[in-house]
């Protein structure tokens, strides 16, 4: 984590600091005054309901090495001590992160996409970590506050920083990319998330493509080559290296599934190199191919990449398998959802043996297209080997309506406790149960009850 004197911070960002404190050292950064530890830098924000500046004095009393303080703060009591006076605490945090990143000088890998950001980030880390000192974004620290905090957690000897970049509107990823100035930028895919704010998949593609804004000259851009919405944007890129990932011929890395097992999948790239992935989901093949492409770009050989990828461990609630006491397999994919990722989950479950039970919740933030997109998931179940479908929520009713003609046992719930009671009675040994829905639906509660 960051460990510098205040004089160094003064040289990095636009601020004022009393000269008597310039030799003070800060170790780490915190935005929650309740989590302050000795010598940390406390960064307060002016929120709609609470002004964090009111906690500055307490933070200093609790051992903070220094505190940012916004010059236009209208609080009557101005604290004394090692204060770093800035025009805007958020901008100052971002400037500090950008300066510290240049100080550490790691290779920066930026990852965005509608689905699979975190999974891809985990895969990249798995491929690279044994050979490099790697740090990745933890949790969902992928916005204008979270990403700078992630950067400021880097150790001085970090060699590779993997930064996840999220957004809900235009220009948000542009800001993050300009802060990070990545050496490698990745777009996993273009789905339907944030349709409510961006209006169309074309708008989503445009917003995601902002990740190339800060891409270094001659940097590497890796993208979903099967997605036609990215093609016109890619055509306008200059002075960068390109690598496309996909199942269609013509991509730089053409992926083909070879075998699907309960424990994972096998696939090849360009009909040559064979890889074994210890997680479910054919859609994860393309995510793994991104990590493989990065490994190759950074000089790793096939044997090293193959071995490292087999040690993959994913962040929780992403195709996470559990076995019940009765021997049923429950797959927790409830961290988030989109219509595209739901269809991928249906494909994954369909390819498994035994009786297959699918539990789907609402996909949120789809805007005015929500009904038709949920209906498309229900229609997608045609000719899929799903034995039982349970839907939960308001919007998932549309999945239920279309799925009735394709699945023999279908039931819709608006009460989660009733869903849990029903599935608990229905599940049998050797069943395969897959649970998926948007984060706000909290379907992990169903998983926890079953296991």
């Amino acid at each position: 984590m960051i460990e510098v004197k205040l004089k160094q911070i003064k040289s990095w960002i636009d601020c004022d600091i009393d000269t008597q404190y310039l030799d003070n050292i800060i170790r780490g950064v915190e935005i929650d005054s309740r989590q302050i530890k000795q010598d940390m830098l406390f960064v307060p924000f002016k929120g709609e309901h609470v002004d964090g500046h009111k906690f500055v004095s307490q933070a200093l009393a609790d051992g903070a090495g220094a505190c940012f303080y916004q010059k236009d703060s209208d609080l009557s009591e101005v604290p004394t001590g090692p204060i770093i006076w800035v025009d805007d605490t958020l901008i100052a945090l971002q400037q500090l992160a950008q300066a510290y990143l240049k100080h550490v000088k790691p290779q920066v890998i930026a990852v965005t996409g509608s689905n699979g950001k975190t999974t891809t980030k985990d895969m990249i880390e798995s491929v690279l970590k044994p050979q490099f000192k790697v740090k990745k974004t933890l949790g969902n620290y992928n916005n204008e506050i979270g990403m700078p905090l992630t950067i400021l957690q880097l150790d001085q000897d970090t060699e590779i920083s993997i930064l996840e970049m999220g957004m809900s509107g235009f220009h948000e990823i542009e800001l993050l990319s300009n802060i990070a100035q990545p050496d490698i930028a990745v777009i996993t895919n273009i789905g339907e998330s944030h349709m409510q704010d961006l209006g169309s998949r074309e708008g989503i593609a445009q917003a995601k493509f902002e990740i190339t804004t800060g891409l270094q000259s001659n940097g590497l851009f890796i993208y979903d080559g099967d997605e036609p919405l990215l093609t016109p944007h890619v055509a306008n890129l200059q002075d960068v290296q390109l690598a496309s990932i996909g199942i269609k011929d013509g991509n730089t890395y053409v992926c083909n599934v070879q075998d699907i097992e309960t424990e994972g999948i096998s696939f090849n790239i360009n009909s040559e190199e064979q890889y074994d992935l210890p997680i479910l989901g054919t859609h994860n093949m393309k995510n793994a191919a991104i990590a493989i492409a990065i490994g190759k770009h950074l000089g790793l050989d096939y044997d090293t990449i193959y071995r490292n990828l087999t040690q993959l461990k994913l962040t929780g609630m992403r195709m996470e398998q559990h076995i019940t006491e009765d021997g049923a397999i429950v797959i927790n994919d409830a961290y988030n959802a989109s219509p595209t990722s739901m269809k991928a989950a249906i494909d994954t479950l369909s390819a498994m043996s035994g009786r297959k039970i699918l539990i789907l919740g609402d996909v949120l933030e789809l805007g005015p297209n929500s009904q038709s997109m949920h209906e498309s998931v229900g229609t997608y179940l045609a000719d899929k080997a799903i034995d039982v479908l349970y839907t939960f929520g308001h919007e998932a009713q549309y999945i239920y309506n279309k799925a009735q003609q394709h699945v023999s046992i279908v039931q819709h719930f608006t009460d989660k406790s009733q869903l849990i009671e029903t599935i608990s009675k229905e599940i049998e040994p050797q069943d395969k149960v897959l649970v998926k829905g948007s984060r706000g639906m909290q379907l992990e509660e169903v998983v926890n009850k079953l296991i």
Side-chain angles (χ1 to χ4, degrees), residues 11 119 137 149 163 197 232 252 399:
S11 72
T119 298
T137 301
L149 291 174
L163 299 175
D197 299 299
T252 314
I399 299 176

Side-chain angles (χ1 to χ4, degrees), residues 38-241:
Q38 190 66 35
D39 295 331
M40 277 186 165
L41 170 64
F42 173 54
V43 181
F45 298 112
K46 294 178 71 172
E48 287 185 31
H49 305 294
V50 179
D51 187 343
H53 290 79
K54 64 167 42 174
F55 304 113
V56 166
S57 294
Q58 186 60 52
L60 291 171
D62 291 340
C67 297
F68 277 168
Y69 206 92
Q70 203 154 295
K71 293 176 181 176
D72 67 355
S73 176
D74 53 7
L75 295 181
S76 56
E77 183 182 344
V78 178
T80 58
I83 299 298
I84 303 173
W85 296 92
V86 297
D87 292 328
D88 185 295
T89 54
L90 175 57
I91 292 175
L93 174 66
Q94 294 165 351
Q95 290 175 343
L96 179 61
Q98 186 175 43
Y100 183 63
L101 195 59
K102 291 178 179 177
H103 174 72
V104 176
K105 297 179 181 175
Q107 289 244 34
V108 177
I109 303 170
V111 181
T112 194
S114 295
N115 310 115
K117 290 188 294 294
T118 301
T119 298
T120 302
K121 177 185 68 180
D122 292 342
M123 290 177 172
I124 297 168
E125 179 194 39
S126 182
V127 165
L128 301 181
K129 196 167 187 179
Q131 278 67 46
F132 301 95
K133 179 157 186 182
V134 180
K135 275 214 166 183
K136 67 179 180 181
T137 301
L138 295 178
N140 60 350
Y141 269 39
N142 61 9
N143 63 9
E144 75 278 8
I145 296 174
M147 195 193 77
L149 291 174
T150 295
I151 292 170
L152 294 167
Q153 283 293 319
L154 296 178
D155 296 321
Q156 302 266 356
D157 59 349
T158 301
E159 294 175 290
I160 294 176
S161 173
I162 308 171
L163 299 175
E164 181 180 329
M165 296 184 179
M167 60 90 191
S168 58
F170 293 115
H171 306 300
E172 294 175 11
I173 289 180
E174 178 183 11
L175 169 68
L176 300 180
S177 182
N178 281 326
I179 292 171
Q181 297 180 11
D183 300 280
I184 301 172
V186 174
I187 296 179
T188 60
N189 56 28
I190 303 300
E192 304 88 1
S193 301
H194 308 299
M195 188 80 80
Q196 183 172 313
D197 299 299
L198 296 168
S200 65
R201 290 187 69 248
E202 288 82 1
I204 295 168
Q206 179 182 336
K208 295 295 184 185
F209 204 79
E210 292 172 7
I211 199 168
T212 63
T213 305
L215 182 62
Q216 298 276 3
S217 178
N218 203 39
L220 174 63
F221 176 51
I222 303 176
Y223 64 100
D224 182 356
D226 295 335
E227 176 51 75
L229 292 179
L230 290 174
T231 304
H233 296 285
V234 173
N236 291 326
L237 274 181
Q238 296 180 346
D239 301 323
V240 300
Q241 302 175 63

